[in-house]
Each structure stands twice: as C-alpha cells, then as structure tokens.
C-alpha cells in the first residue's frame, strides 16, 4: 500500500471500518503509510455530527509536533515518528463548533499490523440519521432493529446482524403480500389471478417475483440483493452474513425509500386538496 493509497482509504477507516478490524497487515511499509495517512492528514471529511444532528464537515486535528512534522519533517524522520506510534488517537472537529469532536483510536503492534480499537461516536450512531428518516414508513420497531443490525455488523457479529435484517426484509415482503392478497379479495374473481396456495409453497425469490407489482422494480430485477435469503440459517457462516450485509441492507433501504416517496406524495396531495377546499370556501363566501 502506497501513501497515496492509504490516504484514499483514511475516510473509510475513520467512519466505516469496524472495531478490531485491521487497516494494515504485518508489512512495515504498509503500517508506516497507514499511520502517516491517519495522523498527519488534515484533509476534512463529511460525517453525521451527533451534536448538530445533521451532516457536517470534520477536520482532523494536528498537535504542534505533528504540524512541525508535516511542515519540516524529512521523509525518514516522519517514517520513524510514525512507526514509533503504538497507540494513537485521531481527533476531528466539527466545522460548526470546536466542542463537537469525534475520536478514533488505533493500535500499532510492530511487526503485526495496525487495527482500529475504538471510536466515538459509534458507527451505529453515525448511521442512525440514514435510518431515522424511515420511522414514518417502517415504524419505530423495524428502524430500531435496523439500527441494531448495523451496530452488530460493525462489531463483526455476522449471523446476529443478518437475522435482524432478514426479519425486517421478510416483514416488508409480508406487507406487500397482504396488499396483493387483499386486492385479490376485493376484486372480481374473473380478474383476480392471485394464487395464495402457490405463494405459500413458493421460495422467497419466487415470492418476490409474484409480488413484482407491489415491490420496488429495482429489487425484483436484482435478485442478488436478497439471494442470501433463500439459504437456510445453518448453511451460512459468520463471513457469508457479513459479506452480504451491505446488499441486504441496501435491499431494505430501497423498499424504505420507495415507501417514503409514496408517503410524501400522498401527504402533499392531501395538503393540496385541503388548500383547494379552503380556496373554494373563501370564494363562495
Ligand atoms: Zn457539529
């Protein structure tokens, strides 16, 4: 890993990398570049500020020694300085207030690598804004489970996080199923082609195809997003679950975004209808 490559990864290491995950292996030059990119980097990055409660720009802090190193350090001196760091903290400050700070702790085990060992606020807290907007359409319980899943995955708990995601995903599919079956009941039998028995017998991927009119098109067209769902729990390893985490989470968010859009559209129409009614009654009087 070159220094440039390390610098390109810093933002992810800070905001996305799970605790206890390695950012560099045993290679000394990898460790040097990772540490240098982490501690001698003043490039700002965007993240959710838990104090401002919205997205903010964070600027990593440098102490006097580090500032001197950036300005005057020779490459060899900088390298020795970096490799001497055993336990180091990267602190970053919110552009809106110097009191809003994030901290990230890394451990360098010479000859063995560099790993992330601490962070405040937690990755789960940083991803809550992404999910909290969906309370209206997913409900408090499902959003809470989604946050729990994200929290578990960031701590490397694969199967546990997967179970939460699966629960949410299946309940969303069940919502669509109720809608499809409900419309079937109301409709004229001649035009109703909903086959409840076939649905009950179907596997999850087949069910999604059957519900294609009630689920986001994107989801129906990309079965790999939920492909893992057709497997039994005992067939999956911790790693299978972690590797599929992002795809599963995305599948859920796609449904959530669609629902939110429909919800907002409905709200807007209701507001407009009310407005028109008001205008109508004013004109009459
Ligand atoms: Zn802030």
């Amino acid at each position: 890993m070159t220094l440039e490559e390390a610098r390109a990864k810093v933002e992810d290491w800070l905001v996305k990398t799970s605790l206890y995950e390695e950012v560099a292996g045993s290679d000394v030059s990898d460790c040097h570049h990772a540490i240098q990119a982490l501690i001698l980097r003043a490039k700002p990055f965007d993240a959710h500020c838990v104090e401002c409660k919205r997205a903010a720009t964070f600027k990593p802090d440098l102490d006097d020694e580090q500032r001197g190193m950036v300005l005057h350090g020779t490459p060899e001196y900088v390298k020795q300085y970096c490799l001497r760091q055993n336990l180091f903290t990267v602190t970053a400050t919110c552009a809106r207030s110097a009191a809003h700070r994030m901290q990230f702790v890394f451990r360098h085990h010479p000859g063995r690598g560099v790993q992330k060992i601490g962070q405040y606020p937690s990755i789960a807290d940083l991803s809550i804004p992404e999910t909290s907007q969906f309370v209206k359409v997913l409900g408090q319980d499902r959003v809470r489970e989604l946050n729990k899943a994200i929290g578990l995955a960031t701590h490397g708990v694969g199967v546990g996080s997967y179970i939460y995601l699966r629960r949410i995903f299946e309940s969303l599919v069940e919502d669509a199923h109720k809608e499809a079956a409900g419309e079937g009941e109301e409709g004229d039998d001649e035009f109703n082609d909903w086959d409840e028995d076939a649905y009950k017998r179907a596997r999850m991927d087949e069910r999604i195809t059957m519900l294609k009119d009630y689920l986001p098109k994107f989801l129906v067209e990309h079965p790999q997003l939920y492909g893992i769902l057709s497997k039994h729990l005992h067939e999956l390893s911790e790693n299978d679950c972690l590797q599929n985490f992002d795809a599963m989470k995305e599948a859920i968010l796609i449904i959530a975004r669609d629902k939110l859009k429909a919800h907002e559209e409905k709200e807007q129409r209701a507001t407009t209808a009310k407005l028109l009614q008001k205008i109508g009654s004013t004109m009459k009087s």
Side-chain angles (χ1 to χ4, degrees):
M1 173 169 51
T2 65
L3 183 57
E4 279 319 302
E5 284 165 347
R7 283 191 170 133
K9 288 181 187 162
V10 165
E11 193 170 327
D12 274 0
W13 287 342
L14 295 180
V15 183
K16 290 190 184 149
T17 295
S18 320
L19 294 190
Y20 313 113
E21 210 174 284
E22 241 179 25
V23 301
S26 56
D27 186 84
V28 177
S29 137
D30 281 359
C31 289
H32 158 216
H33 291 144
I35 298 171
Q36 183 169 343
L38 279 165
I39 60 175
L40 299 181
R41 172 189 188 271
K43 207 176 145 209
F45 60 92
D46 292 327
H48 173 74
C49 177
V50 292
E51 305 286 344
C52 294
K53 295 190 172 44
R54 55 182 164 141
T57 301
F58 281 83
K59 195 173 185 310
D61 306 327
L62 294 176
D63 63 23
D64 290 344
E65 192 182 15
Q66 289 166 342
R67 206 165 289 125
M69 204 72 63
V70 171
L71 292 173
H72 314 294
T74 63
E76 186 54 30
Y77 194 76
V78 170
K79 180 181 171 187
Q80 292 314 322
Y81 172 81
C82 290
L83 290 175
R84 267 204 313 277
Q85 308 289 325
N86 291 323
L87 193 68
F88 57 94
T89 305
V90 178
T91 309
T93 309
C94 170
R96 288 197 197 93
S97 164
H100 304 173
R101 307 178 88 188
M102 284 204 214
Q103 282 160 322
F104 309 91
V105 187
F106 293 84
R107 177 174 183 252
H108 170 217
H109 201 128
R112 281 173 53 188
V114 179
Q115 63 177 160
K116 186 179 190 180
I117 62 165
Q119 135 160 32
Y120 179 84
S122 70
I123 295 179
D125 284 343
L126 294 182
S127 24
I128 282 173
E130 196 191 357
T131 57
S132 63
Q133 56 174 318
F134 298 123
V135 170
K136 257 188 268 176
V137 288
L138 294 183
Q140 189 70 56
D141 287 347
R142 287 197 280 217
V143 167
R144 207 172 281 144
E145 290 189 357
L146 188 55
N147 289 335
K148 238 180 237 176
I150 294 168
L152 287 174
T154 58
H155 284 89
V157 183
V159 177
S161 61
Y162 166 76
I163 291 172
Y164 277 116
L165 287 189
R166 188 166 178 157
R167 268 169 63 89
I168 302 166
F169 188 81
E170 286 176 353
S171 76
L172 289 168
V173 172
E174 185 50 30
D175 283 356
H177 167 221
K178 274 186 196 141
E179 209 183 319
E183 277 189 15
E185 271 165 33
E186 283 164 25
D188 191 329
D189 270 358
E190 238 178 282
F191 298 102
N192 172 23
D193 55 0
W194 180 253
D195 187 344
E196 186 63 22
D197 290 333
Y199 183 82
K200 276 185 184 143
R201 283 193 308 271
R203 289 197 321 255
M204 184 51 94
D205 51 346
E206 296 163 343
R207 288 181 173 190
I208 286 171
T209 312
M210 290 177 76
L211 293 169
K212 65 180 188 310
D213 295 334
Y214 302 89
L215 285 167
K217 216 171 154 207
F218 187 85
L219 195 74
V220 181
E221 286 166 356
H222 295 83
Q224 59 273 33
L225 279 171
Y226 53 86
I228 190 178
L229 284 167
S230 53
K231 293 200 171 184
H232 288 291
L233 212 49
H234 64 263
E235 292 177 89
L236 299 166
S237 68
E238 275 284 297
N239 255 340
D240 288 337
C241 292
L242 283 175
Q243 272 168 9
N244 285 286
F245 182 83
D246 283 335
M248 280 275 294
K249 188 178 100 181
E250 214 34 60
I252 290 170
L253 292 181
I254 286 169
I255 302 179
R257 278 188 215 112
D258 253 40
K259 278 180 178 273
L260 191 63
K261 222 156 93 195
H263 179 84
E264 282 168 353
E265 177 84 26
K266 210 169 136 193
E267 267 187 346
Q268 208 164 9
R269 280 184 196 186
T271 317
T272 312
K274 244 185 239 166
L275 203 68
L276 291 175
Q277 210 173 20
K278 206 171 151 193
I279 295 173
S281 61
T282 330
M283 279 168 71
K284 258 180 234 158
S285 64

